[in-house]
Each structure stands twice: as C-alpha cells, then as structure tokens.
Amino acid sequence: ERAMAAADRIIALSEMEKGVLERRYGVDGAKVAVVPGGVDTEVYQPTGDPAAVRTELGMGEQERMVFTTGRLDPRKGYDLLLEAIPAARRRMEAEGIKARFLLPGGGDNLNENEGAVREQMEELIARYGLEDWVTLFPHLSFDKLLTYYTAADLYVLPSPYEPFGLVAVEAFACGTPVLATCHGGPPEIVDEGKNGGLADPTDAEAFGAALAAYLSDGERLQAMGQKGLEKAHAVFDWRAVARTIHGGYQEAAEAMPR
C-alpha cells in the first residue's frame, strides 16, 4: 500500500488488474496506465510447414488441430478442457468433423505436483475414451513450439481464471485464433467472433459447444487467425507496448514539480 501510494504512475496489464488495484489498495485510477503484455513479432510469427506438422502427428488431412500449452499446473485447466471434449466430440461427429487436441504432457523428470496433473489428464483421457482425440506431447523446443502454434486451427486457453493470458497473444502472433476463458484478462485480448471466442471452461457443456462451433468452420478459423495476427502487430508488438510505456513515463516526468 505504501508503494502504491508513493508511485507517480502505476502500470497494470489489464483493466481488470487496474480495478483490483483500486479496490484492494485504494489506488487513484487516474494514475494507473493499462499496458498489455507483448511479444516480439519478429520472433513469434507464422513458422514452419503446417502440413508437415500434421503428418508428423499422424493426423488426417481434414482433421482439426487444437493446441494448448503451459506448465503442468492445476490452475491451467487442462482437466476442464478434457471434461469439455466429449461434449465437443458429440457435436462434431454429428457433422462428420474430427479434431486432435494437443496438450502438454511434460518432460521425463516431473515433480510431485506435475506428476499429479499428468496422472489426472491420463485418467480423464481413459475415462472418456479420448485416445484418438487427445495427444499429450513432451516438452517442446522453442522452434517446435512456434510450429505448433502456427499449425493449429485453434489455440485454447482453458484456465478457470487467467490474470492476463500471454499465450493468447503468442498464438495471435503466429496467425492462430484463440478460444479462451471468459474469466480474468482474456476478454481484453480476444474480440469475440473476430479473432476468436470466450467461454466458461468450468461449464463443460458450454465450453464443448463453443469448441465445436468454432471448429466446424475451417474458413472462419483462417479468417479469425488473420485478424489475430493483425491485432498482435497493432496492439501487442513490443514496439507498440514500449511506445505506450514511454508515454506513461513522459506524463509522470512532466507532472513532477519544477
């Protein structure tokens, strides 16, 4: 509270975070600048051959590729995604559409918590018979990560709550649309129906229905991916972020007593 009170300017990642600062610390909202996290779009960009990635994964030519990544942590909502896939599968199979969901499986030396998350994921895959729909991939090199981002038809962020959601920005920068949790920061990243969608991952039926709705239209996914790419360059590129931060410092400097 003393640090917040003493600051001339405060930078928050999102309007949601700004609201938390105002409510919890009594911060004057006038001195809070909202500046989103960013990516280097010269690094995060469409990379590799999507067809080769699909061949490597043993996927059919028309099979939709759904990607999510992150550390093995219960807060990431991988269990919620696996709970939603059966609802998505019912709808997609009725339309003759199949998808492959790629989720992180971790490396060889998992700690106790990571191992518990992995075991839960494997149990859910077996319970719902998702072996042909879900692949747990090992730790990815950075180059491989970029190719997976690029090859995916849809990136999914299923966290029950996400403070910001930088992975959504990374997916945009690689030309991939995003279906994200509606809780937390993602509503300030994803524009519903333009570059992706928002849904409640704690509601398996609703989240599954949203997955199926977006995955049913490949052309729409491509168009939304292009919109995401454009937003990544216009809003989330580090140069754009740096200009906004520079403006905040300049305002603080100009307000100092002479």
Side-chain angles (χ1 to χ4, degrees):
E1 290 175 346
R2 291 197 300 271
M4 297 291 178
D8 294 297
R9 288 291 185 277
I10 299 170
I11 294 175
L13 281 173
S14 65
E15 290 291 343
M16 178 214 64
E17 187 173 74
K18 176 182 175 180
V20 171
L21 295 176
E22 292 173 343
R23 293 190 302 274
R24 292 188 181 178
Y25 298 99
V27 170
D28 178 1
K31 70 177 185 180
V32 180
V34 176
V35 184
V39 296
D40 185 343
T41 58
E42 293 182 359
V43 175
Y44 285 89
Q45 58 178 300
T47 304
D49 181 356
V53 172
R54 291 164 182 270
T55 299
E56 178 185 319
L57 292 168
M59 294 178 58
E61 187 174 335
Q62 301 301 318
E63 196 171 359
R64 305 277 195 256
M65 178 175 168
V66 185
F67 180 49
T68 188
T69 188
R71 65 187 182 276
L72 292 184
D73 187 305
R75 291 171 293 185
K76 292 302 178 182
Y78 304 128
D79 59 326
L80 301 179
L81 175 56
L82 291 170
E83 295 274 5
I85 292 175
R89 180 174 62 181
R90 290 195 304 273
R91 292 170 170 82
M92 293 174 67
E93 287 180 336
E95 299 182 34
I97 300 171
K98 187 177 180 184
R100 182 76 60 87
F101 290 78
L102 300 173
L103 282 73
D108 295 328
N109 300 310
L110 302 181
N111 62 36
E112 183 177 351
N113 290 333
E114 293 169 335
V117 172
R118 169 74 184 234
E119 288 179 10
Q120 182 187 34
M121 293 165 70
E122 291 174 336
E123 190 276 326
L124 288 169
I125 290 169
R127 181 194 306 174
Y128 295 118
L130 299 176
E131 290 82 0
D132 291 340
W133 282 70
V134 176
T135 296
L136 300 182
F137 57 82
H139 178 74
L140 300 176
S141 68
F142 184 68
D143 288 343
K144 181 72 78 172
L145 173 69
L146 293 179
T147 65
Y148 274 37
Y149 268 133
T150 303
D153 293 292
L154 182 68
Y155 184 87
V156 179
L157 179 54
S159 310
Y161 174 83
E162 191 69 44
F164 179 66
L166 188 61
V167 287
V169 176
E170 294 173 354
F172 279 173
C174 293
T176 300
V178 175
L179 176 63
T181 177
C182 59
H183 302 299
E188 296 180 43
I189 299 172
V190 178
D191 303 305
E192 182 82 47
K194 294 182 179 179
N195 46 38
L198 300 163
D200 184 357
T202 65
D203 184 334
E205 283 294 323
F207 204 67
L211 283 167
Y214 281 100
L215 292 170
S216 66
D217 191 339
E219 291 185 4
R220 185 187 183 203
L221 287 173
Q222 289 183 357
M224 289 194 299
Q226 180 60 37
K227 291 293 184 182
L229 181 61
E230 293 169 2
K231 185 169 185 179
H233 281 262
V235 178
F236 300 113
D237 179 85
W238 272 127
R239 285 162 289 231
V241 172
R243 284 193 294 270
T244 306
I245 292 175
H246 177 267
Y249 273 85
Q250 192 168 33
E251 288 177 4
E254 290 173 353
M256 293 294 289
R258 300 294 179 180

